[in-house]
Amino acid sequence: MYFVDIVETEGLGNRGYLAGGPRTAVAVDPPRDIDRVVAAAAGRGVRIGAVVETHVHNDYVSGGRELARITGARHVVPAAARLPFAHTPVHDGDTLPVDEGLALRALATPGHTPHHFAYLLTDEGREVAAFTGGSLLIGSVGRPDLVEPRLTEELARAQHASARRLARELADEVPVLPTHGFGSFCSSSPQTEQDSTTIGAERKSNDVLLKDVDAFVADLLAGLDDIPAYYAHIGPVNAGGPPPVDLSPAAAADAGEIARRLAAGEWVVDLRSRTAFAEGHVAGSYNFEADGQLATYLAWLIPWGKPVTLLAESPEQLADAQRELVRVGIDRPAAAATGDPRCWIRDGERLRSSGRGTFAGLAEEAHGSGAGGTTGPAAGDGVVVLDVRRDSERAAGHVEGSVHIPVHELHGRIGEVPPGRVWVHCASGMRATIAASMLDAAGREAVVVDDAFDAAGKAGLRVVRPEEGDRPEEG
């Protein structure tokens, strides 16, 4: 008998795995907060005998080295990765024993990275699961452009060959268990609704197994989207060997400390909901909601290495945020505060409020009938609509006359936002919240459009869509 447990990291769109038998297990692509993997093994009553990596990751800091150290397990890494710390190099075709009758067969699957491997779990010689890392995903493949621009097309072609190899060597019923593809930016295409898949299902639906190599590569390269900036730092961290994490509480910051850190140009990040932030926040702070994609967007937007102070509604929210951030290399907050935001400002200061609205409210204001449907400051003389979605999202449709600056570029481009009251929208409100707080910190009057983009046309705004030849339509 064998088991496969999923170790989910939802905020980053990744999965690690713990697989094994009655006594021994192997951990596949573990997250940096390894206590979750240790707890899973303890719950199963098994010893972790090996920790395997499908590749050197760019999107999260690996817990592989530390997990191997504390458990005494072998740390198995593709030989071609040539890492400087102690590990067991694996080559194509190697077999790693897991438990009685259980083994992992290593399969070279370059494409997502040049050294990428998949691992096939076998039970008495029969493949029962495929840990595909960033090679074959659910309805997609891992993107091939994270290593070196000059290698992107070559790696895309290798990705096609690797997926075909997996499909050729595995039976239809074998589950495909990727590391990426659940919202991760390591996927070459948007997230699917599916949560699981098999080789047989991928044969019928995945472009990499349906298209010839030239068509597949052309379409893949044409569809690649923005790469989070922090990816450039995570790869070297993993290649050098990440240090252990420290999840102990950060140093407490009082109102004076928060003010000093803001004055020094450091980042103060408010983790509360957009509603709570709009009602009252420390002037100059940024709003990255704890229940959004905190790690992805904070690591993407913050200048790498910039000290960050976290403001949270509770110690639990703060602890959860610290755990999320260590996964992307933001190891220790410089300071932190929790509780009532009125305690975060000095005597004589006031909390700042900001606006929230809907596309209906924007339509009313744009049509000259005031700021109906909004909360916050009264409308100014001008109305600016700022779209902070990615280029690929905007290409599918945008509000006529809107200014476009993707959220990950806004911090360095705030000066390009025209004067006036700025209504900021994305696809659902999460990124707009970040962007509006940045404008607010810069002294601009901003309203978060806390609404789904699909509501824009229905509200009466003119939406330009490419299929209509750039002819605007009203909802």
Side-chain angles (χ1 to χ4, degrees), residues 359-364 366-367 399-400 454-463 473-475:
F359 278 112
L362 169 57
E364 289 183 26
H367 295 155
V399 174
E400 184 183 33
D454 290 346
K458 298 173 185 176
L461 295 167
R462 295 171 67 84
V463 178
E473 69 168 19
E474 291 190 54

Side-chain angles (χ1 to χ4, degrees), residues 238-321:
N238 283 327
V245 299
D246 178 1
L247 292 175
S248 62
D254 60 15
E257 176 78 359
I258 293 169
R260 285 191 294 274
R261 291 191 176 277
L262 281 169
E266 298 180 10
W267 278 35
V268 173
V269 171
D270 192 324
L271 301 168
R272 297 174 301 147
S273 71
R274 66 194 72 168
T275 304
F277 184 84
E279 290 174 352
H281 58 268
V282 177
S285 62
Y286 301 141
N287 187 202
F288 288 76
E289 295 174 295
D291 60 357
Q293 290 178 277
L294 168 65
T296 293
Y297 282 98
L298 182 54
W300 194 341
L301 272 62
I302 192 170
W304 197 252
K306 174 81 74 174
V308 60
T309 294
L310 301 178
L311 308 179
E313 64 184 17
S314 66
E316 293 76 19
Q317 185 182 66
L318 177 60
D320 288 346

Side-chain angles (χ1 to χ4, degrees), residues 1-3 20-24 95-105 120-128:
M1 295 293 292
Y2 67 91
F3 70 87
R23 291 172 296 279
T24 311
T95 298
L96 310 169
V98 177
D99 204 336
E100 185 174 352
L102 290 177
L104 280 184
R105 180 160 66 92
L120 311 181
L121 181 66
T122 63
D123 183 8
E124 301 296 347
R126 178 178 63 91
E127 287 88 3
V128 293

